Amino acid sequence: MGNIIRLDQHTTNLIAAGEVIERASSVVKELVENSIDAKSSTINISLTDSGLKEIIVSDNGTGMDAVDAKLALEPHATSKISKPNDLFNITTLGFRGEALPSIVAVSNFKLKTCAEGTRGLMIVLKGGEIISEAVVAHPHGTEISVRNLFFNTPARLQNLKSESLELSYIIDYVNKMALANPDIAFKLTNNDKTILKTYGSGNLLEVISNIYGADIAKNMLEIEGRDGYFHISGFSSNISCSRSTRNSITIIVNGRVVRNNNIINAVCEAYKNLFTVGRYPIGVINIEVDTSLVDVNVHPAKLEVRFSNEEGLIKLIIETITNLLSKTDLSVDLGDQLKNVFEVEVDTKPEIKKVASYIDDYNKEIFTSKLPSKDDEEIDDDVLLKEPLKEIVKENYSQKQYTFTRFDEEEEKEQDNKSRLPKLDYIGQLFGTYLLTQGGEFFYLIDQHAANERVNYEKILKNLKNDDVTTYELLIPIKLVFTSNEAILIEDKLSEIRRLGITLEEFGGGTYTVREIPYWIRKGNEKEYVEEIIFQIINNRKQEKYQFLDSLAKSLACKKSVKANEYLGRDEVDYIINELSNCENPFTCPHGRPVIVKFSKYEIEKWFKRIV
Ligand code: ADP
Ligand code: MG
């Protein structure tokens, strides 16, 4: 009995502070949110020693009068909501009335504020105790200084990581706040050095440029989509720029920067076949939704949100971005990256070498820095070609007796007008690996292996997805031998194998013969393809049908593409270029590496100083 006491306010404030204020960046976040809620058009954040020594946030917002200013420092004091129902209709960033008292409890705190028609006020506190109060001259707005954060909570002080890491959290957060509020001018400095400056012009692309640089901004695509509940807008990068983390995807819901992995995954999903594994786009996704359909009161930090109908939102995002990317010329424009290469030297030979090696490095760095290991998805160029392309091409152009020849012709007619590439005129082959072509005002370089792989992949996938597959009977049946283990799995999947057009007859002891195969498998590839298809089917444990067919198409496409360092005849080249032009996505290979890069005529004329 008598064990329970009501905690005093200082103790409850310290407890609350633990939830809201975890590190220096939480202070910045809460103070900046208050400045935004106070309708400021300018917000300055100035740090000393990455905020560990001092954080000053000043704004030109509404300010507070003396009564409000003192109340604001008390727990659960807020001007933003007043009754339970307001919680279901939150239009401000703050609403819990917790931030200021929490910060006050764990720091040396100084508030200067002035509201319209009042005199400026300054209040100084240390660890929650008021030390002094005075009337001061202060411009319209508020300035809060937080010094020696966590001086009275040693455990949390220890929890702070290195200065640079704390600073990186702050920069990340301020960047995202700036992206969410292009109409506010932000300035962030550390030890008087400017880290970010935006101008409040209201132009999101300008803020993207301020944060990521003009080259990235140039590569952003504008997105816009809506359904009955959600409106999404913003920018997402084309495939010329990518990042190794998802952190450059900013999600904003009704003006609030939030964390939501499902939404970030949806953005990445749209780029699935365009990037290599481990590369992600840069994006700013603004989501507008009726405030009653989103719950922000999930966690004290207010970074998480819950939506009604999140599935609908995810679908909208994937569709909007996929659709946008499918309409965009995604050839990587190397003009910008090469700007300086041609500036100094005049001898053309080293130049060409330089360009080529630059492109190699560029590809390596941008696209293949995190290629999957060999036994994963990607297969080394050199082990690819079991059958030279010549065979395929000959078949295609001279032997008209097969059904597939007719099929190819039909397909060509059907797709003629939809090409996403201009008409490309062939110039020559470079290093036995790249096809040089010209189209409109651009010079295009095509990686022959990647291009051939893309062509094969799309053709094969289309055929695999076709439910009524036409088959033909082989004159000489293929004999396949499997281990007893595999044979058991095959028995299980016989109908699935048949659905893809392969009819197996068992002879016992793991021996099978194949008499009938789908017509799209080209002559000479039969055994290899059939084996691969069966192998993939029996080893598929968990993939959905579409996913499975997709990865099957990738592995089959890989099997018969021309490789690098192989000199091609003119008909082979024409085949690749024509077929590539007919592809749905001619810009990347199925593993996400670039197929085609371009330079503009304008850029080239600048190299030779025909244009200055
Ligand atoms: P909340 O933001 O959840 O209301 P806070 O503790 O962050 O709670 O702030 C308490 C109150 O102080 C706010 O509701 C607001 O009225 C006032 N306030 C805080 N910062 C500012 C500011 N920069 N300008 C004007 N008023 C402010
Ligand atoms: Mg607040």
Side-chain angles (χ1 to χ4, degrees):
M1 289 273 271
N3 287 335
I4 298 179
I5 54 158
R6 208 174 271 279
L7 293 173
D8 65 37
Q9 200 174 74
H10 180 60
T11 316
T12 52
N13 286 355
L14 277 172
I15 291 170
E19 289 186 328
V20 190
I21 306 300
E22 254 182 314
R23 48 190 357 114
S25 61
S26 349
V27 173
V28 174
K29 169 182 180 293
E30 293 297 335
L31 296 181
V32 171
E33 284 188 354
N34 281 345
S35 297
I36 294 171
D37 282 345
K39 306 201 164 27
S40 313
S41 61
T42 302
I43 301 174
N44 289 330
I45 304 118
S46 124
L47 312 172
T48 309
D49 296 351
S50 306
L52 301 186
K53 190 138 195 218
E54 184 172 30
I55 297 166
I56 302 175
V57 175
S58 62
D59 66 50
N60 64 350
T62 56
M64 290 171 269
D65 64 19
V67 177
D68 277 355
K70 285 175 84 174
L71 209 51
L73 308 179
E74 307 268 327
H76 311 300
T78 178
S79 57
K80 298 168 192 174
I81 60 171
S82 59
K83 53 186 188 302
N85 255 354
D86 294 345
L87 275 175
F88 304 110
N89 191 12
I90 287 167
T91 55
T92 49
L93 297 175
F95 57 88
R96 300 171 61 106
E98 283 179 331
L100 290 186
S102 302
I103 298 168
V104 164
V106 293
S107 68
N108 295 349
F109 187 94
K110 184 160 80 185
L111 164 72
K112 284 196 254 174
T113 186
C114 177
E116 201 164 317
T118 68
R119 293 200 291 168
L121 173 79
M122 178 171 86
I123 309 178
V124 182
L125 298 95
K126 185 172 182 182
E129 304 292 320
I130 295 187
I131 303 216
S132 72
E133 255 181 80
V135 172
V136 292
H138 189 73
H140 197 189
T142 303
E143 178 182 301
I144 288 174
S145 144
V146 175
R147 289 180 70 88
N148 305 328
L149 185 65
F150 301 144
F151 78 96
N152 54 354
T153 48
R156 221 164 310 151
L157 188 60
Q158 271 201 336
N159 191 34
L160 293 181
K161 302 276 175 355
S162 68
E163 244 194 58
S164 57
L165 197 60
E166 295 299 324
L167 182 62
S168 78
Y169 289 139
I170 295 177
I171 296 173
D172 185 52
Y173 193 72
V174 175
N175 281 347
K176 291 187 167 161
M177 295 293 270
L179 290 167
N181 298 278
D183 46 355
I184 297 178
F186 285 88
K187 186 173 171 193
L188 169 66
T189 62
N190 182 39
N191 298 338
D192 294 326
K193 207 173 137 244
T194 301
I195 295 171
L196 172 72
K197 190 162 169 47
T198 69
Y199 299 88
S201 68
N203 182 339
L204 176 56
L205 200 55
E206 184 186 300
V207 181
I208 291 174
S209 176
N210 297 147
I211 291 172
Y212 297 111
D215 280 344
I216 301 271
K218 243 192 267 167
N219 283 302
M220 297 305 275
L221 308 169
E222 187 159 10
I223 56 175
E224 162 90 44
R226 65 171 78 235
D227 65 9
Y229 297 97
F230 301 99
H231 175 223
I232 61 169
S233 62
F235 290 89
S236 206
S237 54
N238 65 21
I239 58 170
S240 300
C241 37
S242 67
R243 289 283 199 263
S244 61
T245 72
R246 298 152 186 253
N247 196 34
S248 301
I249 303 171
T250 301
I251 309 292
I252 299 155
V253 178
N254 292 343
R256 178 190 306 278
V257 175
V258 302
R259 270 192 222 134
N260 184 316
N261 277 335
N262 295 341
I263 299 180
I264 290 185
N265 286 341
V267 176
C268 296
E269 177 71 19
Y271 290 80
K272 197 178 63 188
N273 288 331
L274 297 174
F275 282 141
T276 49
V277 175
R279 301 301 300 183
Y280 306 98
I282 299 165
V284 182
I285 316 291
N286 271 301
I287 300 164
E288 284 164 79
V289 53
D290 191 292
T291 47
S292 65
L293 298 176
V294 52
D295 183 4
V296 286
N297 195 16
V298 180
H299 184 267
K302 300 161 291 174
L303 269 166
E304 282 162 45
V305 288
R306 290 206 187 108
F307 298 97
S308 319
N309 193 19
E310 187 175 82
E311 272 166 34
L313 173 60
I314 284 169
K315 189 161 161 271
L316 177 67
I317 290 176
I318 296 177
E319 278 176 9
T320 306
I321 302 179
T322 306
N323 196 12
L324 173 70
L325 291 169
S326 76
K327 284 196 214 126
T328 311
D329 175 358
L330 294 174
S331 341
V332 175
D333 192 335
L334 283 187
D336 293 328
Q337 279 84 14
L338 288 173
K339 227 178 260 157
N340 302 321
V341 176
F342 282 79
E343 223 94 282
V344 229
E345 294 173 62
V346 254
D347 177 12
T348 47
K349 271 186 198 154
E351 235 86 284
I352 289 172
K353 270 188 210 138
K354 227 172 178 178
V355 176
S357 82
Y358 189 92
I359 292 165
D360 266 359
D361 288 350
Y362 180 77
N363 286 347
K364 252 181 245 150
E365 187 198 332
I366 307 288
F367 294 96
T368 59
S369 61
K370 285 217 176 140
L371 271 182
S373 64
K374 252 193 199 176
D375 47 0
D376 194 344
E377 262 190 293
E378 181 77 346
I379 294 172
D380 198 357
D381 282 355
D382 297 332
V383 300
L384 278 180
L385 193 74
K386 303 245 169 68
E387 179 206 23
L389 180 83
K390 275 192 194 91
E391 297 303 314
I392 303 162
V393 173
K394 253 190 240 139
E395 242 175 35
N396 241 327
Y397 282 75
S398 51
Q399 306 181 359
K400 294 266 175 193
Q401 73 266 42
Y402 285 103
T403 4
F404 64 74
T405 312
R406 211 179 61 222
F407 168 81
D408 277 353
E409 280 169 0
E410 268 169 22
E411 192 181 44
E412 253 164 50
K413 259 181 239 138
E414 185 192 311
Q415 297 200 332
D416 242 6
N417 304 325
K418 300 189 283 192
S419 183
R420 295 178 64 191
L421 293 177
K423 191 182 168 308
L424 296 175
D425 295 324
Y426 180 61
I427 302 166
Q429 195 187 23
L430 181 68
F431 310 140
T433 302
Y434 305 101
L435 308 179
L436 313 183
T437 67
Q438 176 186 335
E441 294 285 280
F442 285 92
F443 166 42
Y444 290 89
L445 268 155
I446 298 172
D447 178 322
Q448 64 192 37
H449 166 67
N452 196 201
E453 211 181 4
R454 162 56 62 179
V455 167
N456 290 338
Y457 163 73
E458 288 197 10
K459 277 182 187 282
I460 293 169
L461 184 61
K462 195 171 166 190
N463 283 307
L464 287 174
K465 286 205 299 202
N466 184 356
D467 277 334
D468 41 84
V469 45
T470 318
T471 58
Y472 72 93
E473 210 166 299
L474 294 164
L475 289 178
I476 308 158
I478 302 169
K479 188 175 156 202
L480 299 169
V481 183
F482 294 98
T483 65
S484 54
N485 231 348
E486 288 166 339
I488 293 170
L489 294 172
I490 289 176
E491 286 311 309
D492 239 21
K493 307 257 176 148
L494 271 180
S495 62
E496 215 173 303
I497 295 171
R498 187 187 289 265
R499 222 175 298 134
L500 289 180
I502 298 168
T503 311
L504 284 178
E505 275 169 56
E506 203 201 341
F507 277 81
T511 308
Y512 291 82
T513 58
V514 181
R515 287 186 189 284
E516 219 174 306
I517 63 168
Y519 75 91
W520 58 265
I521 296 182
R522 294 209 166 104
K523 228 182 142 215
N525 285 105
E526 298 94 338
K527 184 159 192 227
E528 197 185 1
Y529 267 43
V530 167
E531 251 173 358
E532 179 68 19
I533 293 171
I534 295 172
F535 181 78
Q536 295 270 346
I537 289 180
I538 63 177
N539 284 299
N540 175 34
R541 297 266 142 76
K542 49 185 192 301
Q543 278 181 313
E544 298 291 326
K545 183 178 172 206
Y546 176 76
Q547 251 188 350
F548 170 69
L549 294 180
D550 190 72
S551 59
L552 178 58
K554 278 182 193 164
S555 67
L556 293 174
C558 235
K559 286 211 172 302
K560 59 164 206 179
S561 300
V562 287
K563 57 183 173 182
N565 289 317
E566 186 186 342
Y567 284 86
L568 301 180
R570 184 56 196 257
D571 45 357
E572 297 161 305
V573 167
D574 286 345
Y575 172 81
I576 292 181
I577 294 176
N578 283 338
E579 293 300 325
L580 185 67
S581 298
N582 288 334
C583 280
E584 251 173 64
N585 165 21
F587 305 109
T588 56
C589 84
H591 308 291
R593 295 197 313 194
V595 166
I596 183 162
V597 300
K598 66 179 178 188
F599 311 84
S600 66
K601 183 177 170 209
Y602 174 78
E603 201 61 49
I604 293 169
E605 294 197 332
K606 279 207 305 197
W607 299 340
F608 293 99
K609 307 247 184 270
R610 287 170 173 276
I611 300 177
V612 268

